[in-house]
Amino acid sequence: MQNFDFYAPARILFGKDEEKRVGELLKPHATKVLLHYGGGSIKKSGLYDTVFSSLKAAGLSVVELGGVMPNPRLSLAREGIELCKKEDVDFILAVGGGSVIDSAKAIAMGVYYPGDVWEIYMKGRMLQVKKSLPVATILTIPAAGSESSGDTVITNEEKQLKYGYGAPALRPLLSIINPELFFTLPKNQIANGVADMMSHVFERYFTNTTNTDLTDRLCEAVLGTIIKNAPIVLNDPRNYEAWCEIGFAGTVAHNGLVGMGRQEDWGCHDIEHELSAIYDIAHGAGLAVVTPAWMKYVYKDNINMFVQFAVNVMGVKGSFRDPEGLILEGIARLSEFFHKMGLPSTLGELGIDGANLELMSKKASRIQFGDEYPLGRLKKLYWQDILAIYKLAQ
Ligand code: NZQ
Ligand code: ZN
């Protein structure tokens, strides 16, 4: 096991009606709040009115900025930064999913950054943001895990780039997760969210680090919980108890715990971000296509890890003398699960043809812009490897 530093301070308020006390919860930390939200689902569901009344009842001033789109845009984040500066906002409340929360984090750090906020995403690990406005969230879709992560992913729509950035300062101060707020999700968004949270576990689970018994079991528990409960919420979207399991799993999948002491991979995420950057597809749908292809391409580099996945996660039974057979059955079962969730299984189903595969491979490894930085850790992926994975996903 590797050394690690685990710090996940986001306070999680979980369960029915918690959003009603958001004003009282923010009051000790805020005077003027930016209420940030997406394209309208919170107005339709009545959540907007609940939140607005609660903030007002607590005596807080409210400035609002809606209109965050899935694959949140840099232009709106820039607008939010200017708004916060002009209005002297001292707190951001994101009400929505990963896109709204990530946009809120971009605004929160952009307010204090002397240059253009996109520079932070470009510099990545070379820069550690220390100061940002505090952010709280009310989650409306369990998926990205941004409610407890220190990460933000933004799309630069002019340059067709989608980059992530992470820093401890970006962890939300508090997040409210009321699974009842998930009842209005359409089936495709339920499925996208499930694929994303599973991928957050896979990115940590598939590792060459050994002596990771505890986190192996934690990963398997989270995946098993999702695999059991996802079909229930898909077929019965008002099933509160099953949503509780999915909502909790989505947060645990990405608050960092299940990856502690292990070398994490993140190849699939970077490969998917190229798809979203050019084709504006849903992140989870892209992951459902990329992940089985990635597994088929890399499993030979760590047969034991993939046998463990097939047996402990996908419930495959068979002869240990035929590890490859077990693995391929495990991958097939994962594809079947995604299919039953209504997720796509090929690039073609996402409406993506072969035209940009080479370009996306070169953008992903950054060789397109100069030096090459291979993706992934379990197996290092150079642009030719990434291209091979896209081709397997066609
Ligand atoms: O915009 P509205 O009208 O609210 O509609 C949204 C949106 O169209 C809708 N929706 C959300 N809650 C709803 C609802 N519709 C009905 N009822 C509800 N209760 O769902 C659509 C998708 O929302 P979005 O926020 O885009 O989904 P998600 O949470 O999956 O976020 C995806 C984004 O998160 C990033 C992804 O790259 C992607 O841009 N990620 C962020 C991470 C992080 N910050 O740690 C990690 C992830 O790996 C991921 O990359
Ligand atoms: Zn993700």
Side-chain angles (χ1 to χ4, degrees):
M1 197 187 294
Q2 299 179 338
N3 290 11
F4 64 85
D5 178 346
F6 183 59
Y7 177 66
R11 178 180 174 196
I12 305 291
L13 293 113
F14 192 98
K16 288 181 182 175
D17 293 333
E18 292 290 346
E19 73 282 5
K20 293 182 181 157
R21 57 194 193 102
V22 64
E24 148 211 340
L25 289 163
L26 265 49
K27 178 85 179 149
H29 311 282
T31 45
K32 200 171 200 180
V33 177
L34 177 73
L35 175 55
H36 200 35
Y37 54 91
S41 72
I42 69 160
K43 290 207 167 156
K44 218 165 137 191
S45 67
L47 178 59
Y48 173 90
D49 293 332
T50 307
V51 171
F52 195 84
S53 324
S54 175
L55 295 173
K56 283 291 174 190
L60 295 165
S61 300
V62 181
V63 177
E64 57 178 278
L65 181 64
V68 180
M69 294 161 81
N71 295 320
R73 310 299 200 260
L74 177 62
S75 51
L76 190 77
R78 285 181 178 143
E79 195 181 321
I81 292 164
E82 290 316 310
L83 183 64
C84 286
K85 285 181 182 167
K86 188 171 125 227
E87 295 282 346
D88 266 330
V89 162
D90 58 11
F91 201 100
I92 304 180
L93 174 62
V95 185
S99 296
V100 175
I101 301 171
D102 286 2
S103 180
K105 290 174 179 174
I107 297 170
M109 63 182 178
V111 165
Y112 291 111
Y113 186 68
D116 177 29
V117 69
W118 182 246
E119 284 170 24
I120 305 178
Y121 292 87
M122 295 286 288
K123 287 185 181 160
R125 286 197 199 111
M126 279 146 47
L127 183 140
Q128 200 185 57
V129 165
K130 294 265 164 49
K131 204 168 173 204
S132 72
L133 286 176
V135 172
T137 83
I138 298 178
L139 189 68
T140 63
I141 168 171
S146 190
E147 69 278 8
S148 65
S149 81
D151 303 327
T152 158
V153 189
I154 288 286
T155 296
N156 181 330
E157 63 271 41
E158 282 168 23
K159 298 199 161 108
Q160 290 197 319
L161 294 172
K162 183 171 177 177
Y163 284 175
Y165 176 77
L170 295 182
R171 297 242 191 203
L173 185 75
L174 64 91
S175 287
I176 293 172
I177 305 176
N178 173 0
E180 285 179 316
L181 301 178
F182 309 151
F183 289 177
T184 52
L185 280 167
K187 282 190 191 296
N188 65 329
Q189 296 298 354
I190 295 174
N192 292 340
V194 162
D196 191 19
M197 62 179 76
M198 288 177 79
S199 177
H200 295 157
V201 182
F202 290 150
E203 299 284 18
R204 296 167 163 106
Y205 185 62
F206 291 105
T207 185
N208 294 325
T209 312
T210 52
N211 300 101
T212 52
D213 289 354
L214 177 67
T215 43
D216 281 7
R217 294 295 94 77
L218 291 174
C219 287
E220 289 160 3
V222 177
L223 290 166
T225 302
I226 298 168
I227 290 169
K228 177 181 167 195
N229 289 283
I232 302 177
V233 296
L234 190 74
N235 296 316
D236 177 13
R238 300 185 68 83
N239 189 317
Y240 179 76
E241 296 304 336
W243 268 128
C244 282
E245 302 289 352
I246 294 289
F248 196 8
T251 292
V252 174
H254 199 43
N255 76 350
L257 178 67
V258 303
M260 287 303 108
R262 322 163 68 89
Q263 185 178 52
E264 301 183 7
D265 193 87
W266 295 100
C268 287
H269 263 67
D270 287 336
I271 293 171
E272 192 294 308
H273 284 167
E274 296 306 324
L275 303 176
S276 294
I278 294 185
Y279 297 98
D280 199 20
I281 58 157
H283 173 60
L287 286 168
V289 170
V290 167
T291 304
W294 172 84
M295 289 179 169
K296 284 178 202 154
Y297 191 74
V298 306
Y299 76 82
K300 291 194 175 111
D301 280 55
N302 193 334
I303 291 277
N304 291 344
M305 187 76 245
F306 278 88
V307 168
Q308 187 179 316
F309 159 73
V311 173
N312 288 0
V313 179
M314 302 314 301
V316 180
K317 290 195 171 61
S319 167
F320 288 107
R321 291 187 184 206
D322 176 22
E324 212 152 351
L326 295 173
I327 292 168
L328 293 175
E329 175 62 19
I331 299 172
R333 287 191 188 187
L334 177 68
S335 298
E336 177 63 16
F337 171 79
F338 285 156
H339 180 69
K340 283 194 176 143
M341 291 297 296
L343 286 157
S345 52
T346 62
L347 290 177
E349 284 175 58
L350 288 167
I352 299 175
D353 62 18
N356 287 316
L357 299 188
E358 190 171 321
L359 174 67
M360 292 189 295
S361 310
K362 290 183 171 170
K363 280 173 78 187
S365 80
R366 308 258 176 131
I367 198 169
Q368 180 76 7
F369 313 109
D371 292 338
E372 181 160 38
Y373 298 95
L375 305 182
R377 297 279 166 73
L378 183 128
K379 178 182 175 67
K380 275 193 180 175
L381 304 171
Y382 295 85
W383 78 265
Q384 292 94 336
D385 301 301
I386 300 165
L387 181 61
I389 291 170
Y390 283 135
K391 286 189 172 166
L392 273 174
Q394 269 185 314

